[in-house]
Amino acid sequence: MLNKLPDSIVHHILFFLPTKDHSRLSCVSRRCRDLCISTPYVALSNMNYNITEISRRFRFNNFVDRFMSRRNWHGAKLHTFILHWCFELPLTDEAYRVDTWLSHAVNSGVQKIQLELSGTERIPLPQFILSCKSMSFLSVKTNNSVLKLPSTLSAGRGINTTLQILVLDYLQIEDDFFGEWLSQFKSLKKLNLTRISRIKRISLVGCGIDTSLQTLVLDSVQIEEEYYFGEWLSHFKSLKLLNLTRIRGIKSMSIHNSSIDVLAIKHCDDLVDISIFAEKLRKLHILWHPHNKSSSVGSLKILAPNLGDFRWVGHVVDYYCVEDFSSKLHPIIALRLSDQLYESSTKYYLHKILCSMQRAQVLTLRDEFVEVLFKYGCLPYSFDNLEYLAILRTSSFEDKIPAVSSLLRETISLKWLFLLNDTKVPSKKLSFKLEYWESQNLMFINQLKGIVVELSNRGSDVELMKYLLKNTKVLERAFIICSQTVPTNLIFELRKYKAPPTELVCYHESSKFVRQIRNLYTFDI
C-alpha cells in the first residue's frame, strides 16, 4: 500500500503516528525505514512514560538517538520538529541528549521548532537554536519554569535573521536584558507572550525588531517596571495588531504608535489610566473593569482620528477624546457604574462620552447603558448624523423602555433600527402598549427605511414593531428574528399593521443572516 503512495502523502500520515508506532513501522521493510528517516515532520514525546519506567525511558532515548543520528547521516531535510518532554525522571544525561537532538534538527535545515518542556525549574535556551539560519517559527512552552536566555553579547553573534514568529508560553523571565535580546531578531513579524512573569525591564535598542514586528500578543503577562513597558510599545514602527490581555503589575499605560491598525485591551483590570495616541488606528476593542482601591475611577484618553470600529465594555471612567471621532466611527458601548464613581461627577463623564460620538453614523448601545444615561439626565441627546442604531437588550428590557424611547426621540436622521437580544429575554407583563409609542413623537419615522427586531413573546418590542409598521412612511424592509418559542399567530398579527410597500421577512435566530447582523452590531470582543 505504501509503495503506491507518493512520499509526501506518506510523510503526512507518519506525522500523526506516535513515536512508538513510528519505530515499529521502520522495522517492517527497507522502504518503510527510508520513509521514516526521510520524513520532514518529526514529533517526539516521552509523556507516556511514568516515573517507574526508567528502563523503558532509557531504551526510548537510545532509539531517538539512533533515529536522529541516521537522519543527520543521510542528510534528510527537516521542516517541523516538535518535542514534548518531561525531565522528572532521574536520567542524568537526558538534558544533553535533548540538546543533541535539537542540534541535529538545526543541522537538517529545520523551519519550525515547537518545544513543550517540563519537570525542571530552569531551562536554558541553547544558542545554536537562535543561530539557526533556516528557522522561521519558534515556540517554547514550559510548566512555569525559568527560561534562561543566552547573554546579549553572545546572542548578537550569528543571531537568527530569518525568525518570523516567536511564541513563549507559561514561563518566567529573570534576565534584565529581555527586551534587548528580542531586538536582535531583525525579521521577527509576530511575537506572542503568554503567561509570562517576572519581566523586570523591557526596552529596545538598535534597529532590530522595532522595524519588523507586525503583530504583538501579550496574554497574562506580569510586568514589574511599568515605565519601560509603555516606551517599549511605542518603539515598533511597523506594528499593525496589538493585543493586550490580562497585563498585570502596571497601573498606567501610554501607547504612542503611528502604525497600529488594530488594538485590543482586555481584562487589564490592574490598569487605572490608559492613554492611546494612534493616528492610523482603525479598530479598538476595550474590555476593562478597573478595580483600583483608590478614590480615582480611572481615565481613558484617546487620539485616533481614523477610528472606525470602537467597542467598549466595562465601567464608566473619566473619558477624554483629544479630537472628535470621524463620522465613520461605529461605537459599540456597554458601560456600568463602578463603586468608586462619585454621583456628582457621573453626569460629567457620561456627557463627555456622548459628545465624542456625536458625529457617529452607526451606534450600538446596551440597554443598561441607555438606562444609566437616562437616569443621570443625559437623554434625550441629539444625534443629528446617526443613521444606524442598534440596541442590545438584557433580561430586564421592559423596565428600560422609558430610557430607550428617550434615546429614540432625538435620532432625527435614523434610517435603520436594530433591536437585538444580548441575552435571553423572558416574557414579562406588558407595560408599554401601542398607545405609549404613539405618544412619544418619534421624529425618525419620516425617513426610517428598515427595522430589524428580535422578538420576545408578547413584550413592548412587539408593540414598538406595530407602531413602526403602521406609522413609518417610507419603510422598505422589516426583518423579524424569532425562535421556535414565538407563536406563528403573532407574526400574522404583525402583518396586519404593515403598509403594502413594506417587505416583512422572518428569520430564525440561527440563520446566516442573523449571524452576520450579530457580527456587526454586538459585543464580539
Side-chain angles (χ1 to χ4, degrees):
M1 181 66 180
L2 291 179
N3 294 330
K4 298 179 181 180
L5 294 176
D7 289 358
S8 59
I9 295 179
V10 178
H11 288 155
H12 182 73
I13 296 173
L14 293 178
F15 180 69
F16 298 99
L17 288 180
T19 308
K20 183 178 180 179
D21 295 335
H22 203 282
S23 63
R24 289 173 175 174
L25 180 63
S26 65
C27 299
V28 173
S29 66
R30 179 175 295 181
R31 162 72 171 163
C32 292
R33 184 195 64 186
D34 293 343
L35 286 170
C36 291
I37 291 177
S38 63
T39 177
Y41 310 101
V42 174
L44 303 175
S45 173
N46 70 349
M47 297 300 179
N48 294 328
Y49 297 96
N50 58 48
I51 198 167
T52 62
E53 299 177 307
I54 298 179
S55 60
R56 291 186 60 199
R57 174 85 161 260
F58 185 77
R59 291 196 300 270
F60 176 72
N61 291 353
N62 289 338
F63 162 76
V64 176
D65 279 342
R66 293 191 301 271
F67 172 71
M68 295 300 294
S69 297
R70 286 177 180 175
R71 285 186 51 87
N72 192 49
W73 187 79
H74 284 278
K77 294 298 180 181
L78 186 60
H79 179 276
T80 302
F81 182 73
I82 300 176
L83 181 67
H84 293 183
W85 210 261
C86 178
F87 293 95
E88 285 183 347
L89 294 182
L91 298 177
T92 56
D93 65 339
E94 198 162 48
Y96 171 77
R97 291 193 189 217
V98 169
D99 281 355
T100 303
W101 305 336
L102 288 171
S103 178
H104 287 322
V106 169
N107 293 334
S108 300
V110 65
Q111 298 179 33
K112 180 178 179 180
I113 295 181
Q114 183 177 329
L115 306 177
E116 186 171 337
L117 310 174
S118 60
T120 181
E121 294 182 359
R122 305 179 71 85
I123 297 177
L125 190 62
Q127 174 61 40
F128 61 79
I129 291 183
L130 304 177
S131 302
C132 178
K133 302 299 182 182
S134 60
M135 183 176 60
S136 61
F137 176 95
L138 174 61
S139 173
V140 181
K141 180 181 179 181
T142 75
N143 189 23
N144 200 27
S145 302
V146 175
L147 184 66
K148 184 62 179 175
L149 306 174
S151 67
T152 307
L153 293 178
S154 64
R157 301 193 196 105
I159 195 69
N160 181 301
T161 57
T162 60
L163 186 66
Q164 296 184 10
I165 301 176
L166 175 61
V167 179
L168 302 180
D169 186 9
Y170 201 22
L171 50 85
Q172 302 178 48
I173 301 291
E174 288 185 340
D175 300 294
D176 292 339
F177 54 83
F178 180 57
E180 299 174 2
W181 176 77
L182 287 175
S183 68
Q184 305 285 340
F185 300 102
K186 298 181 180 181
S187 300
L188 196 65
K189 294 183 178 179
K190 181 176 181 180
L191 175 61
N192 189 325
L193 305 179
T194 302
R195 297 184 292 178
I196 310 295
S197 60
R198 300 176 68 177
I199 297 180
K200 297 180 180 179
R201 182 173 179 264
I202 302 182
S203 63
L204 291 178
V205 295
C207 54
I209 185 179
D210 52 334
T211 60
S212 65
L213 195 68
Q214 298 179 8
T215 301
L216 176 59
V217 178
L218 305 180
D219 189 346
S220 303
V221 175
Q222 176 75 30
I223 305 294
E224 297 188 5
E225 294 187 18
E226 64 181 53
Y227 170 76
Y228 294 103
F229 184 65
E231 177 188 3
W232 186 61
L233 293 177
S234 302
H235 267 78
F236 302 112
K237 305 298 190 299
S238 302
L239 192 63
K240 299 299 181 184
L241 187 150
L242 175 59
N243 191 325
L244 305 175
T245 304
R246 298 180 183 88
I247 304 299
R248 305 183 306 275
I250 59 175
K251 294 186 176 181
S252 178
M253 180 173 64
S254 181
I255 300 175
H256 294 253
N257 193 296
S258 60
S259 65
I260 293 180
D261 182 64
V262 178
L263 172 59
I265 302 174
K266 305 175 185 178
H267 303 293
C268 300
D269 297 338
D270 284 358
L271 286 171
V272 179
D273 302 303
I274 300 177
S275 298
I276 301 169
F277 301 90
E279 298 175 5
K280 297 181 180 180
L281 187 64
R282 182 181 52 85
K283 181 184 294 186
L284 174 60
H285 292 179
I286 298 177
L287 178 56
W288 180 37
H289 299 83
H291 52 61
N292 58 302
K293 299 180 181 179
S294 64
S295 59
S296 173
V297 299
S299 67
L300 174 63
K301 182 183 293 185
I302 299 176
L303 172 58
N306 295 302
L307 188 61
D309 183 351
F310 179 29
R311 307 189 182 197
W312 182 11
V313 179
H315 287 156
V316 174
V317 297
D318 186 4
Y319 173 74
Y320 179 65
C321 179
V322 179
E323 292 182 1
D324 289 340
F325 287 123
S326 166
S327 60
K328 298 179 181 180
L329 175 70
H330 177 192
I332 301 181
I333 308 297
L335 299 179
R336 298 179 179 179
L337 300 181
S338 66
D339 296 334
Q340 290 94 349
L341 192 61
Y342 292 112
E343 188 168 345
S344 59
S345 56
T346 300
K347 184 175 181 179
Y348 174 65
Y349 294 159
L350 293 174
H351 182 73
K352 289 201 296 183
I353 293 173
L354 286 176
C355 285
S356 68
M357 303 169 190
Q358 190 171 14
R359 297 174 58 196
Q361 296 179 345
V362 186
L363 177 63
T364 298
L365 298 176
R366 185 174 284 167
D367 61 1
E368 293 176 335
F369 183 56
V370 175
E371 186 180 40
V372 170
L373 294 172
F374 181 70
K375 176 182 177 181
Y376 285 89
C378 299
L379 295 178
Y381 188 87
S382 179
F383 289 97
D384 296 338
N385 297 324
L386 190 60
E387 297 182 359
Y388 298 82
L389 173 63
I391 299 174
L392 304 183
R393 303 183 299 175
T394 58
S395 58
S396 55
F397 177 72
E398 197 75 22
D399 302 330
K400 302 176 179 64
I401 292 296
V404 172
S405 62
S406 180
L407 171 67
L408 295 175
R409 205 172 299 137
E410 292 297 324
T411 54
I412 59 177
S413 302
L414 196 64
K415 295 181 180 179
W416 276 85
L417 175 63
F418 301 82
L419 192 59
L420 306 173
N421 293 341
D422 194 34
T423 57
K424 289 188 177 181
V425 181
S427 301
K428 282 192 173 184
K429 182 180 179 181
L430 181 61
S431 303
F432 301 92
K433 298 183 180 181
L434 177 61
E435 294 76 16
Y436 171 81
W437 291 109
E438 290 179 336
S439 68
Q440 294 305 299
N441 190 28
L442 302 181
M443 300 176 65
F444 63 80
I445 61 172
N446 294 322
Q447 71 277 338
L448 190 69
K449 294 183 177 181
I451 51 177
V452 178
V453 177
E454 190 167 1
L455 289 181
S456 60
N457 216 344
R458 285 284 181 181
S460 296
D461 54 347
V462 176
E463 300 299 305
L464 173 59
M465 190 75 170
K466 292 178 181 178
Y467 166 74
L468 295 176
L469 290 171
K470 177 182 177 182
N471 295 281
T472 304
K473 299 179 180 179
V474 294
L475 188 64
E476 298 175 357
R477 294 181 178 181
F479 298 111
I480 298 174
I481 302 173
C482 56
S483 63
Q484 296 177 351
T485 60
V486 178
T488 55
N489 62 336
L490 178 59
I491 307 300
F492 287 115
E493 182 180 343
L494 288 173
R495 292 185 187 275
K496 298 178 182 178
Y497 286 87
K498 81 176 187 70
T502 304
E503 179 186 4
L504 184 62
V505 183
C506 296
Y507 286 95
H508 191 269
E509 59 185 1
S510 62
S511 66
K512 181 179 179 180
F513 170 78
V514 176
R515 291 197 301 269
Q516 292 174 340
I517 292 295
R518 291 191 179 280
N519 288 338
L520 288 173
Y521 294 99
T522 59
F523 295 94
D524 184 18
I525 63 173

